[in-house]
PDB file of all heavy atoms in Angstrom:
ATOM      1  N   ASP A  78     -40.764-155.439 -94.808  1.00  0.00           N
ATOM      2  CA  ASP A  78     -41.972-154.809 -95.319  1.00  0.00           C
ATOM      3  C   ASP A  78     -42.696-154.118 -94.131  1.00  0.00           C
ATOM      4  O   ASP A  78     -42.182-154.085 -92.989  1.00  0.00           O
ATOM      5  CB  ASP A  78     -43.034-155.789 -95.893  1.00  0.00           C
ATOM      6  CG  ASP A  78     -43.750-156.788 -94.905  1.00  0.00           C
ATOM      7  OD1 ASP A  78     -43.117-156.951 -93.743  1.00  0.00           O
ATOM      8  OD2 ASP A  78     -44.802-157.195 -95.249  1.00  0.00           O
ATOM      9  N   CYS A  79     -43.763-153.392 -94.466  1.00  0.00           N
ATOM     10  CA  CYS A  79     -44.492-152.546 -93.454  1.00  0.00           C
ATOM     11  C   CYS A  79     -44.911-153.263 -92.299  1.00  0.00           C
ATOM     12  O   CYS A  79     -45.093-152.719 -91.091  1.00  0.00           O
ATOM     13  CB  CYS A  79     -45.577-151.836 -94.103  1.00  0.00           C
ATOM     14  SG  CYS A  79     -46.780-152.813 -94.970  1.00  0.00           S
ATOM     15  N   ASP A  80     -45.253-154.618 -92.361  1.00  0.00           N
ATOM     16  CA  ASP A  80     -45.656-155.368 -91.231  1.00  0.00           C
ATOM     17  C   ASP A  80     -44.508-156.101 -90.444  1.00  0.00           C
ATOM     18  O   ASP A  80     -44.766-156.837 -89.571  1.00  0.00           O
ATOM     19  CB  ASP A  80     -46.680-156.383 -91.686  1.00  0.00           C
ATOM     20  CG  ASP A  80     -47.992-155.747 -92.207  1.00  0.00           C
ATOM     21  OD1 ASP A  80     -48.350-154.658 -91.642  1.00  0.00           O
ATOM     22  OD2 ASP A  80     -48.575-156.197 -93.202  1.00  0.00           O
ATOM     23  N   SER A  81     -43.348-155.995 -91.084  1.00  0.00           N
ATOM     24  CA  SER A  81     -42.166-156.643 -90.498  1.00  0.00           C
ATOM     25  C   SER A  81     -42.299-158.200 -90.522  1.00  0.00           C
ATOM     26  O   SER A  81     -41.706-158.937 -89.726  1.00  0.00           O
ATOM     27  CB  SER A  81     -41.805-156.215 -89.050  1.00  0.00           C
ATOM     28  OG  SER A  81     -41.415-154.948 -89.092  1.00  0.00           O
ATOM     29  N   ASP A  82     -43.042-158.746 -91.534  1.00  0.00           N
ATOM     30  CA  ASP A  82     -43.237-160.158 -91.649  1.00  0.00           C
ATOM     31  C   ASP A  82     -42.778-160.789 -92.932  1.00  0.00           C
ATOM     32  O   ASP A  82     -43.001-161.905 -93.252  1.00  0.00           O
ATOM     33  CB  ASP A  82     -44.741-160.601 -91.362  1.00  0.00           C
ATOM     34  CG  ASP A  82     -45.703-160.011 -92.335  1.00  0.00           C
ATOM     35  OD1 ASP A  82     -45.375-159.278 -93.228  1.00  0.00           O
ATOM     36  OD2 ASP A  82     -46.876-160.257 -92.114  1.00  0.00           O
ATOM     37  N   VAL A  83     -42.098-159.940 -93.713  1.00  0.00           N
ATOM     38  CA  VAL A  83     -41.435-160.410 -94.981  1.00  0.00           C
ATOM     39  C   VAL A  83     -40.050-159.659 -95.054  1.00  0.00           C
ATOM     40  O   VAL A  83     -39.970-158.486 -94.819  1.00  0.00           O
ATOM     41  CB  VAL A  83     -42.264-160.147 -96.120  1.00  0.00           C
ATOM     42  CG1 VAL A  83     -41.480-160.618 -97.431  1.00  0.00           C
ATOM     43  CG2 VAL A  83     -43.667-160.831 -96.080  1.00  0.00           C
ATOM     44  N   ILE A  84     -38.961-160.430 -95.429  1.00  0.00           N
ATOM     45  CA  ILE A  84     -37.656-159.783 -95.611  1.00  0.00           C
ATOM     46  C   ILE A  84     -37.444-159.669 -97.125  1.00  0.00           C
ATOM     47  O   ILE A  84     -37.741-160.605 -97.937  1.00  0.00           O
ATOM     48  CB  ILE A  84     -36.635-160.652 -94.918  1.00  0.00           C
ATOM     49  CG1 ILE A  84     -36.710-160.786 -93.445  1.00  0.00           C
ATOM     50  CG2 ILE A  84     -35.221-160.149 -95.303  1.00  0.00           C
ATOM     51  CD1 ILE A  84     -36.705-159.597 -92.657  1.00  0.00           C
ATOM     52  N   LEU A  85     -36.857-158.623 -97.540  1.00  0.00           N
ATOM     53  CA  LEU A  85     -36.379-158.470 -98.933  1.00  0.00           C
ATOM     54  C   LEU A  85     -34.845-158.282 -98.839  1.00  0.00           C
ATOM     55  O   LEU A  85     -34.338-157.441 -98.130  1.00  0.00           O
ATOM     56  CB  LEU A  85     -36.940-157.123 -99.505  1.00  0.00           C
ATOM     57  CG  LEU A  85     -36.465-156.759-100.878  1.00  0.00           C
ATOM     58  CD1 LEU A  85     -36.855-157.805-101.888  1.00  0.00           C
ATOM     59  CD2 LEU A  85     -36.889-155.315-101.293  1.00  0.00           C
ATOM     60  N   LEU A  86     -34.174-159.201 -99.570  1.00  0.00           N
ATOM     61  CA  LEU A  86     -32.732-159.072 -99.669  1.00  0.00           C
ATOM     62  C   LEU A  86     -32.412-158.473-101.008  1.00  0.00           C
ATOM     63  O   LEU A  86     -32.864-159.009-102.085  1.00  0.00           O
ATOM     64  CB  LEU A  86     -32.057-160.462 -99.550  1.00  0.00           C
ATOM     65  CG  LEU A  86     -32.140-161.185 -98.411  1.00  0.00           C
ATOM     66  CD1 LEU A  86     -31.317-162.541 -98.465  1.00  0.00           C
ATOM     67  CD2 LEU A  86     -31.570-160.381 -97.221  1.00  0.00           C
ATOM     68  N   ARG A  87     -31.636-157.387-101.093  1.00  0.00           N
ATOM     69  CA  ARG A  87     -31.228-156.830-102.405  1.00  0.00           C
ATOM     70  C   ARG A  87     -29.801-157.433-102.520  1.00  0.00           C
ATOM     71  O   ARG A  87     -28.985-157.096-101.810  1.00  0.00           O
ATOM     72  CB  ARG A  87     -31.341-155.358-102.370  1.00  0.00           C
ATOM     73  CG  ARG A  87     -32.777-154.861-102.125  1.00  0.00           C
ATOM     74  CD  ARG A  87     -33.112-153.541-102.581  1.00  0.00           C
ATOM     75  NE  ARG A  87     -32.533-153.395-103.897  1.00  0.00           N
ATOM     76  CZ  ARG A  87     -32.602-152.411-104.682  1.00  0.00           C
ATOM     77  NH1 ARG A  87     -33.336-151.391-104.286  1.00  0.00           N
ATOM     78  NH2 ARG A  87     -32.008-152.300-105.898  1.00  0.00           N
ATOM     79  N   VAL A  88     -29.618-158.199-103.524  1.00  0.00           N
ATOM     80  CA  VAL A  88     -28.323-159.008-103.664  1.00  0.00           C
ATOM     81  C   VAL A  88     -27.716-158.859-105.117  1.00  0.00           C
ATOM     82  O   VAL A  88     -28.285-158.362-106.070  1.00  0.00           O
ATOM     83  CB  VAL A  88     -28.570-160.489-103.502  1.00  0.00           C
ATOM     84  CG1 VAL A  88     -29.323-160.763-102.140  1.00  0.00           C
ATOM     85  CG2 VAL A  88     -29.521-161.100-104.582  1.00  0.00           C
ATOM     86  N   GLU A  89     -26.398-159.112-105.108  1.00  0.00           N
ATOM     87  CA  GLU A  89     -25.637-159.376-106.322  1.00  0.00           C
ATOM     88  C   GLU A  89     -25.598-160.881-106.392  1.00  0.00           C
ATOM     89  O   GLU A  89     -25.066-161.545-105.580  1.00  0.00           O
ATOM     90  CB  GLU A  89     -24.235-158.762-106.212  1.00  0.00           C
ATOM     91  CG  GLU A  89     -23.337-159.262-107.407  1.00  0.00           C
ATOM     92  CD  GLU A  89     -21.889-158.868-107.106  1.00  0.00           C
ATOM     93  OE1 GLU A  89     -21.601-158.041-106.266  1.00  0.00           O
ATOM     94  OE2 GLU A  89     -21.050-159.462-107.833  1.00  0.00           O
ATOM     95  N   GLN A  90     -26.160-161.427-107.438  1.00  0.00           N
ATOM     96  CA  GLN A  90     -26.085-162.967-107.748  1.00  0.00           C
ATOM     97  C   GLN A  90     -24.956-163.271-108.478  1.00  0.00           C
ATOM     98  O   GLN A  90     -24.697-163.086-109.666  1.00  0.00           O
ATOM     99  CB  GLN A  90     -27.353-163.313-108.547  1.00  0.00           C
ATOM    100  CG  GLN A  90     -27.521-164.806-108.813  1.00  0.00           C
ATOM    101  CD  GLN A  90     -27.560-165.566-107.467  1.00  0.00           C
ATOM    102  OE1 GLN A  90     -28.650-165.469-106.768  1.00  0.00           O
ATOM    103  NE2 GLN A  90     -26.604-166.449-107.287  1.00  0.00           N
ATOM    104  N   VAL A  91     -23.961-163.947-107.786  1.00  0.00           N
ATOM    105  CA  VAL A  91     -22.685-164.299-108.220  1.00  0.00           C
ATOM    106  C   VAL A  91     -22.875-165.437-109.262  1.00  0.00           C
ATOM    107  O   VAL A  91     -23.662-166.360-109.013  1.00  0.00           O
ATOM    108  CB  VAL A  91     -21.652-164.817-107.224  1.00  0.00           C
ATOM    109  CG1 VAL A  91     -20.376-165.369-107.750  1.00  0.00           C
ATOM    110  CG2 VAL A  91     -21.317-163.622-106.294  1.00  0.00           C
ATOM    111  N   GLY A  92     -22.367-165.283-110.428  1.00  0.00           N
ATOM    112  CA  GLY A  92     -22.457-166.337-111.517  1.00  0.00           C
ATOM    113  C   GLY A  92     -23.729-166.142-112.376  1.00  0.00           C
ATOM    114  O   GLY A  92     -23.967-166.878-113.301  1.00  0.00           O
ATOM    115  N   GLY A  93     -24.633-165.237-111.886  1.00  0.00           N
ATOM    116  CA  GLY A  93     -25.903-165.002-112.638  1.00  0.00           C
ATOM    117  C   GLY A  93     -27.010-166.082-112.567  1.00  0.00           C
ATOM    118  O   GLY A  93     -27.956-165.979-113.312  1.00  0.00           O
ATOM    119  N   ILE A  94     -26.837-167.017-111.786  1.00  0.00           N
ATOM    120  CA  ILE A  94     -27.754-168.163-111.681  1.00  0.00           C
ATOM    121  C   ILE A  94     -28.181-168.257-110.200  1.00  0.00           C
ATOM    122  O   ILE A  94     -27.421-168.430-109.260  1.00  0.00           O
ATOM    123  CB  ILE A  94     -27.158-169.497-112.075  1.00  0.00           C
ATOM    124  CG1 ILE A  94     -26.779-169.355-113.536  1.00  0.00           C
ATOM    125  CG2 ILE A  94     -28.108-170.704-111.893  1.00  0.00           C
ATOM    126  CD1 ILE A  94     -25.996-170.580-114.150  1.00  0.00           C
ATOM    127  N   ALA A  95     -29.518-168.000-109.975  1.00  0.00           N
ATOM    128  CA  ALA A  95     -30.090-168.241-108.623  1.00  0.00           C
ATOM    129  C   ALA A  95     -30.895-169.485-108.422  1.00  0.00           C
ATOM    130  O   ALA A  95     -30.994-169.922-107.296  1.00  0.00           O
ATOM    131  CB  ALA A  95     -31.085-167.018-108.366  1.00  0.00           C
ATOM    132  N   CYS A  96     -31.324-170.079-109.529  1.00  0.00           N
ATOM    133  CA  CYS A  96     -32.258-171.256-109.383  1.00  0.00           C
ATOM    134  C   CYS A  96     -31.460-172.539-109.515  1.00  0.00           C
ATOM    135  O   CYS A  96     -30.533-172.655-110.352  1.00  0.00           O
ATOM    136  CB  CYS A  96     -33.316-171.249-110.464  1.00  0.00           C
ATOM    137  SG  CYS A  96     -34.505-172.498-110.278  1.00  0.00           S
TER     138      CYS A  96
END
Side-chain angles (χ1 to χ4, degrees):
D78 73 333
C79 55
D80 296 321
S81 297
D82 61 359
V83 177
I84 300 292
L85 174 68
L86 296 183
R87 301 206 42 179
V88 303
E89 172 193 342
Q90 181 62 62
V91 174
I94 296 173
C96 187

